[in-house]
Amino acid sequence: MPETPVSLLRVALATDATRPFTTFYDDATGERVELSVATFDNWVAKTANLLQDDLAAEPGQRVALLLPTHWQTQVWLAACWSVGLVVAPGGAPADADLVVSGPDTLDDARECAGERVALALRPMGARFAEAPEGFLDYAAEVAGHGDRFVPYVPPAADAPALDLGGRVHSAAELAAIGVEAAKDWGLGSGDRLLSTLPFTRESGLRAGLLAPLAASVPVVLCRNIERLDESALERRISTERVTRTITDSEG
């Protein structure tokens, strides 16, 4: 059976569930969050259960994902693929069955006629002080869902999973992209990636999620890194034991 991003996550869990999977920095707020493989999978399962049970999401439906470089974007990508949804990062909400939005894109997200979910993107996944009108507050709803996810209809590996600017990839193709990127970058045990790239680009998906899943290596995900000077970035690379920094030219 072909590998998919979800099956790669299962392998990572079986290999070492306690190791770090993602470390997130927001250099505009000073936030730092680290999630182990097990904790990341827990968030993915809860989010997939929210999609399937509360939002009645079904395989093949389209999700416009209006989220920045963030650990919760990683979670939503993996959760949507767990259900069998087609994710369109930065896609038009009017063309989607469901929209997931950060606090800065709510006006655009209102163009979606289907279900709307809003993320406050506050430290530790905190909720909005007041939920935006017409949106489900993700943080207020997700915690009550189960830590294990079983799809009503198991997603097919060859079914569409990503629409990036009109280019559609199946789940199996996404796993293959991750495997190829990990091979190109020479990733192996002991490596750790650092990525600042957005998930609206294939390079950002490779560096920020697909290659780390394929190689079972941690990723350091940075938002607003332009606020760091060179010496501060060098300290982060040293502190986080980063062995590979993915730039636009390498992505």
Side-chain angles (χ1 to χ4, degrees), residues 59-138:
Q61 288 187 319
R62 183 181 178 89
V63 179
L65 200 62
L66 308 184
L67 296 176
T69 304
H70 200 278
W71 68 268
Q72 290 188 331
T73 311
Q74 295 172 306
V75 167
W76 270 93
L77 285 162
C80 288
W81 294 332
S82 297
V83 177
L85 305 180
V86 182
V87 186
D95 298 333
D97 300 292
L98 165 72
V99 66
V100 181
S101 175
D104 299 330
T105 50
L106 295 174
D107 288 342
D108 292 336
R110 288 189 172 91
E111 296 178 5
C112 180
E115 298 285 358
R116 304 171 190 155
V117 181
L119 278 66
L121 300 179
R122 296 174 63 192
M124 296 307 299
R127 66 182 65 184
F128 286 92
E130 182 176 345
E133 184 177 354
F135 289 82
L136 185 74
D137 184 342
Y138 170 65

Side-chain angles (χ1 to χ4, degrees), residues 1-18:
M1 182 176 179
E3 291 179 324
T4 68
V6 174
S7 71
L8 292 173
L9 179 56
R10 300 274 79 75
V11 171
L13 274 170
T15 302
D16 184 359
T18 63

Side-chain angles (χ1 to χ4, degrees), residues 22-91:
T22 187
T23 302
F24 170 72
Y25 283 90
D26 187 337
D27 290 301
T29 65
E31 178 185 3
R32 180 187 183 277
V33 174
E34 183 172 281
L35 279 68
S36 68
V37 176
T39 303
F40 179 77
D41 179 70
N42 181 271
W43 277 94
V44 170
K46 287 178 177 293
T47 304
N49 280 314
L50 170 68
L51 280 164
Q52 182 171 261
D53 295 338
D54 286 7
L55 302 178
E58 299 178 353
Q61 288 187 319
R62 183 181 178 89
V63 179
L65 200 62
L66 308 184
L67 296 176
T69 304
H70 200 278
W71 68 268
Q72 290 188 331
T73 311
Q74 295 172 306
V75 167
W76 270 93
L77 285 162
C80 288
W81 294 332
S82 297
V83 177
L85 305 180
V86 182
V87 186

Side-chain angles (χ1 to χ4, degrees), residues 4-6 59-67 73-74 76-92 155-178 198-211:
T4 68
V6 174
Q61 288 187 319
R62 183 181 178 89
V63 179
L65 200 62
L66 308 184
L67 296 176
T73 311
Q74 295 172 306
W76 270 93
L77 285 162
C80 288
W81 294 332
S82 297
V83 177
L85 305 180
V86 182
V87 186
D158 60 354
L162 180 79
D163 183 345
L164 199 59
R167 186 177 181 184
V168 178
H169 294 287
S170 70
E173 288 170 340
L174 292 177
I177 287 171
F199 289 106
T200 51
R201 293 163 47 184
E202 188 174 310
S203 55
L205 286 162
R206 284 199 303 267
L209 184 59
L210 298 178

Side-chain angles (χ1 to χ4, degrees), residues 152-220:
Y152 296 150
V153 180
D158 60 354
L162 180 79
D163 183 345
L164 199 59
R167 186 177 181 184
V168 178
H169 294 287
S170 70
E173 288 170 340
L174 292 177
I177 287 171
V179 169
E180 186 64 25
K183 180 180 177 182
D184 288 346
W185 295 331
L187 299 179
S189 178
D191 283 316
R192 180 175 286 200
L193 287 177
L194 184 146
S195 175
T196 66
L197 304 180
F199 289 106
T200 51
R201 293 163 47 184
E202 188 174 310
S203 55
L205 286 162
R206 284 199 303 267
L209 184 59
L210 298 178
L213 283 173
S216 290
V217 301
V219 58
V220 179

